[in-house]
Amino acid sequence: MLDLLVVGAGLSGLMAAYTAAQAGLQVRIVNKGLGSMHWNAGTVDLLGYIPGAEEKAVQRPLEAIATLLQKYSDHPYSLLEMKYVPSALHTFVALTEKLDIPYIGADDNEENLLLHSPVGVPRPTYLTPKAQLAGNLRRNAPILIVGFEGMLDFYPLLIAENLTKLGYQARAETLPMELLTNRRDANTVQLAHELDDVTRRTKLGRQLHELVGANERIGLPAILGMDAHAEVMADIEKLSGAPVFEIPTLPPSVPGIRLFRALQDGLKSMGVRIETAMEVSGAQKTISQNGTSERLAWLESKTTTRPLKHRAANFLLATGGILGGGFNSDADGRVWEVVLNLPLTMPQDRSKWFDSSFLSPGGHPVYTGGVRVNRDFQPVASDGTLLYENLWVAGNMLSGADPILERSLEGIAILTGMAAGQAIATR
Amino acid sequence: MYTESWLSVGPTLDECIKCNICTSYCPVAAVTDLFPGPKYAGPQAQRFRERGQKNSPDHSVDYCSGCRVCNEVCPSGVKIAEMNARARAQMAAEHGIPLRNRLLGRNELMGRIGSTVPRLASFGMQNPISRVVADKLFGISREAQLPSWNKGGTFGKWFKKSQSHRLKSEKKVVYFHGCGTMHYESFIGQAAVAVFEHNGFEVYVPSQNCCGLPLLSNGEFDTAEEYFDNNIRKLLEYVRRGLPIVGTTPSCTLTLKDEAPELLDRHDSDAHALSSAVWDIFEWLRDLHDQGELQTNFRRLEMILPYHAPCQYRAHLVGKPALEILSLIPGLDLRESHARCCGSAGTYGYKVEKYEISMAVGEELFSFVKAQGPDVNMTACDTETCRWQIERGTDLPSRHPIELLAAAYGLYDVEARTLLTN
């Protein structure tokens, strides 16, 4: 029998599975469809803003977490020992190096990087894939944004103009689409595959060399190779003669997909399978041996006929919040957790979901709600009693944070995923 | 066309968040401009489709192979493949069904005719001249791999003849062989019967019809429904006795479980009773194993075996049960393919305008097999049209996992494809 069944193949589920498998557990992941990582910029945001504080990007997130927790004592970060945070992030970076998709940490000052958004707005983030590093806006160097004629959702002029307004030195150029593809229409993933081809990337590199001015760095949409990403980056930098960086795009987001694929391969080599298209929709509950709390005997996923049973000694839900599909809601104001109907902390009254101000600096209650857990990441009722003896929860299902507002999405996912995996393994 | 189940599909298009994950993973859109991808042909074009419409808004949907990768990766549960299947049926209703597609849809009939004179039929179909004629006249690609009829007669004939050796037992299953096993690959059925009996089950093989899938995928819904009704009529008495209907071809079992009732809007209790009793054979064996009742007295099978789960498992939603069961066999070095599709997609790869696309789609799988090294002697896959395609693309024989399981029980010669017992 499996030691651990993880539900959800987002960053938290993958990192929980990795941690548990690393500790010797037999692990499997099931998920409903491929999701959150395909929308993800590929960076690791740890803490970018403190909600309700004056709107200033956090510079040193490891220190700022303490400030955050003074204000929001039930934040998921409060479940972690603070000395655990840097070491877990270090483990993550080491893993990405092993998987040939190296992430670069913030500099020695442990300061956030300021990287690019698809519309030319700086994003504070803590770790980045190597390919985005040269875009760091804390560094002073003129920027050339290069796009491609007819490419959807990537507008170099808009990006350059917005950067200029914010005081950065930036300009834009547009290259013909034929450089990348002969296809009538292609999305970011297909374009990334096209650039895996040596001839294509050589042509692009040479064209960039013609365009780039002295001391400029070049920002391109994040399509610089899929399978041959490292080689594509190296060739284009060499041929253009300038530092090159990727700007994450609208979905499908190639940097997120690269990380997903790397983690999937890494897990596979550890014997962890990811089974997609398994929507977990039920469970068999039993009473634990000591008779005090409930246990899960198995989870069930939908098939075309009879439910499929997934037996394991332990279960971890990492199905995400509203965005990831872990929670659902209806027009009456009900919000529920989709697998086990775990109790949620958000208001079950639609009129209380949102603050009256749309851009409320403190965020909206419906987004900060979630599953309440104890220090071992096990879900508990409002009075603190354990719900199931062998159930854990990690990532964006956890109550107490608005990760989009805080820019803490991947930090919470990675850190709570790993900590929960550790808690299961050491039990 | 515009039916109750159309309505069950339609609303899911509002769940589409336009994330493009489906298009990124679509194996057909990856190799041709003729298919713009599931998002466009599915939920996007669906907004322009309506009841009683004279002209289908988007003919590119004909290039959808129905592999269902889109459904699998969709984070929002949009029924893209089902939308596309309906849209193809709508096109068939508008333009009529070409003779070629009527032929490809009728493999039961073809099988029956050929089985009366198997050698002659195989020669008639396989020789280069008739392949050119079929190519030019009907549009059946001369390159695609066509099967040969069983030389020793049908599976049904063998089963009848071997009655005196067959196991009698309290525990019984009904075997759904499908047309491929009946007429072209009777050894698959023999291996399945051997495995059932080795596990103590008596096997019933009642008269049965084609599941109807080739007709459904070529847009001939009316004839498909006749077949479905016949199967209900012939199998229901066994279902009522509580017996499982177990099949060796995942596309047939999927059709009985889901595709036929869903696409034909059969929500009546008889249809439901039949579809709920159907199992894919490895789904059933895995369940047997879960209950601790699967015989695991395996011999060692020393070989590297690349295994490709056919696309239909994506729709069964049962994971990869054959992989789980084969992994119990000592010595067997299973290599799981993550290729999206072999390209054949049932009758898709037989069509002259789609043959090249189908081979280009399959390349991902063929190169995976080649990457497993020179010691690989065979591959495995559960569905026959996939196996034929993989054989064509890799020049290696391909086997049904049930053949390997039967071999591991010592009942079957997996090279010669013959039973070692009766």
Side-chain angles (χ1 to χ4, degrees):
Chain A
M1 189 163 65
L2 286 175
D3 298 312
L4 172 63
L5 182 82
V6 175
V7 184
L11 200 47
S12 54
L14 295 169
M15 290 312 294
Y18 166 78
T19 309
Q22 186 77 357
L25 268 56
Q26 269 232 36
V27 185
R28 179 177 294 177
I29 301 174
V30 292
N31 63 335
K32 176 179 167 188
L34 300 180
S36 59
M37 300 205 54
H38 292 62
W39 310 325
N40 187 286
T43 53
V44 177
D45 298 353
L46 188 58
L47 184 62
Y49 298 92
I50 296 177
E54 57 197 286
E55 197 186 321
K56 217 172 136 203
V58 165
Q59 273 214 349
R60 296 159 70 85
L62 290 176
E63 289 169 12
I65 286 176
T67 321
L68 175 84
L69 295 185
Q70 280 167 14
K71 212 166 160 177
Y72 303 98
S73 57
D74 59 348
H75 192 281
Y77 283 156
S78 71
L79 302 164
L80 307 164
E81 274 184 60
M82 274 310 110
K83 66 173 196 287
Y84 171 80
V85 174
S87 79
L89 291 171
H90 183 77
T91 306
F92 175 79
V93 168
L95 174 64
T96 59
E97 279 163 8
K98 205 176 92 190
L99 298 173
D100 277 335
I101 180 168
Y103 274 60
I104 310 284
D107 54 20
D108 294 341
N109 298 325
E110 294 173 347
E111 285 185 3
N112 270 335
L113 306 157
L114 269 188
L115 298 184
H116 292 248
S117 85
V119 290
V121 177
R123 296 185 302 117
T125 188
Y126 194 64
L127 300 174
T128 176
K130 211 172 149 196
Q132 292 183 39
L133 187 65
N136 189 6
L137 289 163
R138 291 203 189 282
R139 255 190 60 217
N140 235 338
I143 298 163
L144 168 63
I145 308 285
V146 178
F148 300 90
E149 235 165 76
M151 183 178 164
L152 295 176
D153 303 327
F154 190 85
Y155 305 106
L157 276 169
L158 174 75
I159 298 173
E161 197 181 300
N162 281 342
L163 288 172
T164 309
K165 275 186 203 158
L166 293 168
Y168 302 102
Q169 197 186 336
R171 66 185 183 100
E173 290 280 358
T174 303
L175 288 171
M177 194 64 144
E178 291 85 60
L179 265 181
L180 302 181
T181 183
N182 301 327
R183 302 191 57 150
R184 197 174 49 192
D185 183 35
N187 71 18
T188 45
V189 171
Q190 289 159 338
L191 292 174
H193 281 296
E194 295 272 22
L195 280 177
D196 283 341
D197 178 68
V198 179
T199 328
R200 293 250 181 235
R201 66 193 195 229
T202 306
K203 266 196 214 159
L204 175 60
R206 292 199 178 126
Q207 283 281 335
L208 292 171
H209 181 69
E210 301 293 313
L211 293 179
V212 71
N215 302 323
E216 272 184 332
R217 43 185 166 158
I218 308 173
L220 288 156
I223 54 167
L224 301 181
M226 186 64 91
D227 301 323
H229 171 55
E231 293 88 330
V232 176
M233 278 301 290
D235 283 0
I236 289 182
E237 289 212 311
K238 199 175 107 201
L239 291 165
S240 68
V244 167
F245 62 93
E246 287 192 316
I247 300 174
T249 64
L250 265 65
S253 173
V254 173
I257 295 173
R258 287 189 200 119
L259 178 59
F260 174 75
R261 288 169 39 138
L263 291 172
Q264 187 181 30
D265 289 349
L267 286 165
K268 193 181 154 195
S269 70
M270 298 164 83
V272 179
R273 299 174 46 78
I274 301 179
E275 301 243 32
T276 302
M278 293 199 166
E279 184 177 355
V280 177
S281 53
Q284 177 65 42
K285 299 159 190 176
T286 58
I287 298 295
S288 66
Q289 275 174 350
N290 57 26
T292 53
S293 61
E294 281 194 303
R295 274 183 75 76
L296 295 170
W298 67 75
L299 292 181
E300 292 180 350
S301 65
K302 289 181 187 166
T303 81
T304 43
T305 49
R306 56 205 71 83
L308 180 61
K309 291 172 192 159
H310 302 267
R311 294 175 203 274
N314 301 292
F315 299 89
L316 177 121
L317 297 187
T319 51
I322 298 242
L323 187 65
F327 304 151
N328 205 346
S329 64
D330 64 19
D332 296 332
R334 207 164 70 86
V335 189
W336 66 95
E337 187 279 311
V338 299
V339 173
L340 292 163
N341 200 13
L342 296 173
L344 298 179
T345 59
M346 52 265 275
Q348 297 288 324
D349 173 351
R350 202 177 157 119
S351 66
K352 295 187 179 132
W353 279 5
F354 302 106
D355 187 273
S356 56
S357 160
F358 177 64
L359 292 176
S360 159
H364 300 286
V366 70
Y367 299 133
T368 51
V371 178
R372 190 183 282 117
V373 295
N374 64 18
R375 294 218 147 251
D376 289 327
F377 294 89
Q378 293 205 261
V380 291
S382 54
D383 63 0
T385 51
L386 193 65
L387 291 170
Y388 300 98
E389 198 184 79
N390 57 347
L391 178 69
W392 281 262
V393 161
N396 277 297
M397 300 178 76
L398 296 172
S399 172
D402 182 340
I404 305 235
L405 193 70
E406 294 168 6
R407 297 225 149 270
S408 59
L409 192 86
E410 298 83 16
I412 293 175
I414 293 174
L415 294 169
T416 63
M418 290 176 73
Q422 196 64 46
I424 296 164
T426 50
R427 187 166 140 105
Chain B
M1 249 344 288
Y2 199 85
T3 56
E4 191 188 325
S5 72
W6 181 288
L7 288 171
S8 86
V9 171
T12 72
L13 78 91
D14 289 335
E15 305 280 325
C16 174
I17 56 168
K18 312 295 175 211
C19 69
N20 254 311
I21 291 178
C22 57
T23 303
S24 308
Y25 282 85
C26 172
V28 179
V31 299
T32 176
D33 259 351
L34 293 168
F35 186 59
K39 188 186 79 157
Y40 299 100
Q44 223 102 308
Q46 188 74 6
R47 300 207 179 275
F48 299 95
R49 296 186 183 119
E50 58 177 332
R51 183 178 205 159
Q53 200 173 24
K54 289 277 182 295
N55 297 303
S56 295
D58 173 29
H59 288 192
S60 71
V61 72
D62 186 46
Y63 281 89
C64 165
S65 72
C67 72
R68 292 176 186 252
V69 166
C70 47
N71 283 22
E72 176 182 54
V73 299
C74 177
S76 308
V78 183
K79 295 184 174 182
I80 310 167
E82 289 86 341
M83 277 175 207
N84 292 356
R86 286 192 173 75
R88 283 197 300 274
Q90 172 70 33
M91 279 175 61
E94 267 171 49
H95 303 291
I97 298 160
L99 178 61
R100 186 263 317 261
N101 293 12
R102 288 195 189 271
L103 283 175
L104 289 174
R106 280 179 176 66
N107 56 354
E108 178 180 322
L109 185 68
M110 303 283 285
R112 277 175 196 249
I113 294 170
S115 283
T116 57
V117 278
R119 278 168 208 272
L120 184 66
S122 298
F123 175 74
M125 198 159 81
Q126 303 277 12
N127 80 72
I129 297 171
S130 21
R131 292 307 301 266
V132 172
V133 173
D135 189 303
K136 296 286 173 218
L137 214 57
F138 302 135
I140 296 176
S141 168
R142 74 181 88 162
E143 303 291 335
Q145 183 126 336
L146 287 171
S148 299
W149 276 268
N150 290 316
K151 292 191 186 75
T154 64
F155 166 73
K157 203 166 140 194
W158 170 83
F159 188 74
K160 222 173 202 171
K161 234 172 45 192
S162 70
Q163 266 313 304
S164 56
H165 314 293
R166 300 273 61 90
L167 181 77
K168 302 286 172 227
S169 163
E170 285 300 297
K171 300 192 287 182
K172 299 173 204 300
V173 291
V174 175
Y175 176 46
F176 191 88
H177 46 67
C179 308
T181 298
M182 188 63 166
H183 300 290
Y184 309 120
E185 299 191 324
S186 62
F187 40 81
I188 306 278
Q190 294 168 8
V193 169
V195 168
F196 284 132
E197 292 185 348
H198 188 74
N199 283 287
F201 283 81
E202 180 178 345
V203 185
Y204 287 150
V205 184
S207 160
Q208 52 193 262
N209 277 96
C210 172
C211 64
L213 175 64
L215 291 161
L216 288 169
S217 50
N218 284 294
E220 263 192 86
F221 280 28
D222 296 350
T223 321
E225 186 153 17
E226 282 172 33
Y227 281 154
F228 187 58
D229 272 324
N230 283 341
N231 279 322
I232 292 179
R233 199 163 42 77
K234 291 171 176 175
L235 299 173
L236 205 57
E237 59 169 297
Y238 299 93
V239 173
R240 296 235 162 92
R241 286 165 61 187
L243 300 186
I245 314 286
V246 184
T248 34
T249 303
S251 52
C252 305
T253 48
L254 176 67
T255 305
L256 295 176
K257 273 180 173 184
D258 187 49
E259 296 248 307
E262 156 99 21
L263 293 174
L264 301 169
D265 294 307
R266 292 297 300 268
H267 306 297
D268 49 286
S269 60
D270 287 354
H272 183 71
L274 173 61
S275 54
S276 326
V278 173
W279 297 74
D280 174 74
I281 193 162
F282 276 93
E283 178 195 14
W284 184 83
L285 288 166
R286 181 177 61 188
D287 195 64
L288 203 64
H289 186 52
D290 271 355
Q291 296 164 34
E293 288 175 21
L294 182 79
Q295 290 289 337
T296 51
N297 51 341
F298 297 117
R299 313 181 162 187
R300 291 184 72 81
L301 283 187
E302 298 286 351
M303 64 161 107
I304 302 172
L305 184 70
Y307 168 74
H308 177 71
C311 292
Q312 297 90 19
Y313 272 139
R314 283 198 189 100
H316 278 275
L317 301 171
V318 296
K320 296 183 176 176
L323 193 76
E324 290 180 45
I325 296 300
L326 291 187
S327 72
L328 304 171
I329 299 173
L332 190 61
D333 182 357
L334 273 172
R335 309 277 173 90
E336 179 187 3
S337 148
H338 290 277
R340 291 168 282 184
C341 177
C342 72
S344 106
T347 59
Y348 186 91
Y350 288 96
K351 297 171 181 168
V352 73
E353 74 280 13
K354 298 184 179 109
Y355 173 75
E356 275 181 28
I357 298 174
S358 115
M359 292 308 278
V361 168
E363 193 46 47
E364 191 180 347
L365 172 57
F366 308 149
S367 53
F368 160 76
V369 172
K370 277 168 206 143
Q372 305 312 306
D375 296 333
V376 174
N377 294 321
M378 62 176 67
T379 65
C381 179
D382 311 63
T383 299
E384 54 261 31
T385 46
C386 308
R387 284 195 299 274
W388 301 336
Q389 170 92 346
I390 299 167
E391 290 185 340
R392 171 130 197 121
T394 62
D395 287 325
L396 289 168
S398 189
R399 296 291 184 258
H400 191 297
I402 202 69
E403 296 179 87
L404 288 134
L405 193 65
Y409 282 142
L411 306 169
Y412 187 81
D413 181 338
V414 75
E415 303 277 343
R417 308 188 103 166
T418 51
L419 284 180
L420 299 173
T421 58
N422 274 306

